[in-house]
Amino acid sequence: MFPDSYDYSYESFMKVATIKNTNDTTLTHELGHAFGLYHTFQGVAYTSQTTCPVNNNCATDGDRVCDTSPSRSMYGVNVPTNNSIDPCTSQNYDGTQYNIMNYTNVERKFTDGQRDRAVLMMMEYRKNLLNSLGAKDPSLVIPSPVSVINAQCNPSGIVNAANNNFAIGPYRVVFGNINSLTNGYDSDEANPIYYADYANATCIRPAYATEIPATTATPLKVTFMNGFSQSDKFRIKVWIDYNNNGSFDDSELVANTLSGVMTSGSASTLTVNVTPPATAVQNTYLRMRVGVDAATLNSVVLPEFTSCSQLQYGQIEDYAVKVLGALSTSEVKNQSETKIVYTKADNKLQLFGNNNAKFGDYQIYDMSGKLIQKGNSKTNEIQINQQLTKGTYIVSYADGDQKGSKKFLNN
């Protein structure tokens, strides 16, 4: 996945990389692509082992690196040594046949020019990796603006754990800023999942969260599919823990629907408009639980699931939802004391308030909970070290008794 064509449906910057054998270089090769490196035979099909790529200008033709000679594909051929003549240059091979970005079973090198291009592409498209938490101990908790209390109970298991590759479950959940695609339960996977907690961040993804208004309806859409080989019905349930006590009461069930008979392989989307009750806890992230399970199998009615019971074939997923309401008096006072200003031209934040206002320790997140930058500022300014995409961001800061969390907009 080249850096200038990033697919935001994926949480990482590489889709697939496999390690098949000892000393296999597939992962290294794919990382090369992720940092903007092309094949050394770029412009020629890898199956055309006798055709040389165009190389009139090494900066714009072929792999766009000037210290890699134009090369034919080495896919499936015996790799020549440097004593052989390269038909693409009429000179002795200079090592390009061993390049990581060629197709050969003896890939073992990058060039200085490839290094320089990779660094430039990283600084242009992947600067956020400089602050990545990817090398952190996975057991550490990632700082996140999203925090929900633990549920008092979770689904206790799945009855049909084996030979259950029907992908029954919430295939897509759309609610406010949440737009989640998942696979449902599949026993063919290495670690089949009947319960997934997306309400909390992990070392490889942010929390899946949204904010909704307190007094108007927000549409919730849950898409699901019939993976069985015959027609059947399905049950969809959604709870929001409005009182934030960690349990899902009957009064907090915002959707409880039995689908019609669905043919094999078909999909359906349940849409409900969610308006929080007046008693809902506000300005705090609450846990939302979404479940889809088979209601019948070969037209035989199956037991109905609850928020914490066993499932038959399906899956339950948790998300985080904040009901927005008026701030309390103390919060309004604190918020009014300071103001955040983002200057796009300078790509920096400024904190205005009392004469001694400064950020101190800070973290900047996007609205998905992804950490953009963190550090310590001894002034009232933060210089942001990467280009921000358009959208809303959150900066949390703490300096002694002065603490705050504010949104700013890049438009």
Side-chain angles (χ1 to χ4, degrees), residues 38 65 76 92 136 220 243 266 274 281 370 383-384 399 411:
Y38 292 99
V65 176
N92 284 69
K136 295 288 186 181
L220 166 66
N243 61 9
S266 64
V274 177
V281 173
K370 177 182 177 182
Q383 184 65 54
I384 300 175
D399 180 59
N411 55 20

Side-chain angles (χ1 to χ4, degrees), residues 2 43 63 74 78 121 135 197 236 252 293 297 370 409:
F2 287 92
D63 67 352
M74 298 291 172
N78 292 326
M121 295 293 278
D197 184 3
I236 308 94
E252 297 173 325
D293 200 5
L297 181 66
K370 177 182 177 182
L409 182 66

Side-chain angles (χ1 to χ4, degrees), residues 108 123 157 178 227 230 249 282 311 325 331 341 361-362 389:
R108 58 173 182 258
M123 297 305 294
I178 297 171
Q230 73 284 336
D249 305 325
Q282 297 182 352
L311 295 155
E331 289 174 317
V341 175
D361 294 324
Y362 69 86
T389 58

Side-chain angles (χ1 to χ4, degrees), residues 191-377:
N191 296 294
I193 298 173
Y194 63 84
Y195 167 66
D197 184 3
Y198 298 123
N200 288 303
T202 71
C203 65
I204 61 171
R205 63 156 178 79
Y208 293 175
T210 191
E211 297 174 347
I212 62 173
T215 57
T216 57
T218 302
L220 166 66
K221 297 182 179 182
V222 180
T223 300
F224 53 99
M225 296 186 294
N226 178 8
F228 294 140
S229 59
Q230 73 284 336
S231 298
D232 271 303
K233 296 181 180 181
F234 297 85
R235 173 74 63 179
I236 308 94
K237 291 186 178 183
V238 181
W239 298 262
I240 298 179
D241 184 17
Y242 283 126
N243 61 9
N244 201 30
N245 68 349
S247 68
F248 298 97
D249 305 325
D250 290 342
S251 61
E252 297 173 325
L253 193 62
V254 299
N256 183 7
T257 299
L258 178 65
S259 76
V261 176
M262 296 175 58
T263 58
S264 174
S266 64
S268 181
T269 299
L270 168 69
T271 301
V272 294
N273 290 316
V274 177
T275 302
T279 56
V281 173
Q282 297 182 352
N283 303 314
T284 297
Y285 279 106
L286 312 173
R287 189 175 290 271
M288 178 175 74
R289 181 156 289 182
V290 181
V292 175
D293 200 5
T296 66
L297 181 66
N298 290 313
S299 301
V300 176
V301 176
L302 297 173
E304 186 174 331
F305 70 97
T306 68
S307 62
C308 296
S309 68
Q310 280 191 313
L311 295 155
Q312 296 295 315
Y313 289 91
Q315 188 181 67
I316 281 179
E317 301 171 350
D318 282 2
Y319 298 89
V321 177
K322 180 188 288 186
V323 179
L324 296 178
L327 295 175
S328 66
T329 303
S330 61
E331 289 174 317
V332 171
K333 180 177 183 296
N334 290 335
Q335 293 286 335
S336 64
E337 289 176 350
T338 56
K339 180 173 67 172
I340 295 289
V341 175
Y342 171 64
T343 307
K344 185 170 185 175
D346 298 325
N347 201 25
K348 70 179 180 181
L349 290 174
Q350 290 179 288
L351 177 66
F352 295 98
N354 58 58
N355 293 333
N356 297 318
K358 59 181 179 180
F359 281 104
D361 294 324
Y362 69 86
Q363 302 88 35
I364 300 173
Y365 302 90
D366 65 17
M367 291 306 292
S368 72
K370 177 182 177 182
L371 179 67
I372 302 298
Q373 182 173 317
K374 67 177 181 178
N376 180 277
S377 173

Side-chain angles (χ1 to χ4, degrees), residues 52-190:
C52 297
V54 174
N55 193 45
N56 296 324
N57 184 332
C58 65
T60 58
D61 292 334
D63 67 352
R64 305 176 193 179
V65 176
C66 289
D67 64 353
T68 56
S69 300
S71 172
R72 62 190 176 98
S73 170
M74 298 291 172
Y75 180 76
V77 302
N78 292 326
V79 180
T81 69
N82 284 351
N83 294 324
S84 301
I85 298 297
D86 184 346
C88 296
T89 64
S90 299
Q91 304 291 326
N92 284 69
Y93 279 99
D94 59 4
T96 303
Q97 73 273 30
Y98 304 130
N99 197 277
I100 293 288
M101 301 313 295
N102 206 330
Y103 275 6
T104 170
N105 58 3
V106 290
E107 300 165 319
R108 58 173 182 258
K109 62 177 286 187
F110 286 115
T111 67
D112 291 343
Q114 287 175 315
R115 176 202 61 202
D116 293 343
R117 177 178 170 84
V119 170
L120 288 172
M121 295 293 278
M122 181 187 75
M123 297 305 294
E124 176 67 21
Y125 294 104
R126 303 200 190 283
K127 195 182 298 182
N128 63 314
L129 291 178
L130 298 175
N131 297 310
S132 171
L133 299 178
K136 295 288 186 181
D137 184 342
S139 65
L140 299 178
V141 177
I142 294 179
S144 172
V146 178
S147 177
V148 293
I149 66 171
N150 292 329
Q152 292 187 19
C153 63
N154 293 319
S156 56
I158 188 161
V159 175
N160 301 285
N163 300 317
N164 177 2
N165 57 357
F166 308 111
I168 307 301
Y171 172 71
R172 186 171 191 174
V173 176
V174 178
F175 190 46
N177 290 329
I178 297 171
N179 190 345
S180 173
L181 282 169
T182 54
N183 295 327
Y185 185 87
D186 186 351
S187 60
D188 288 345
E189 294 179 349

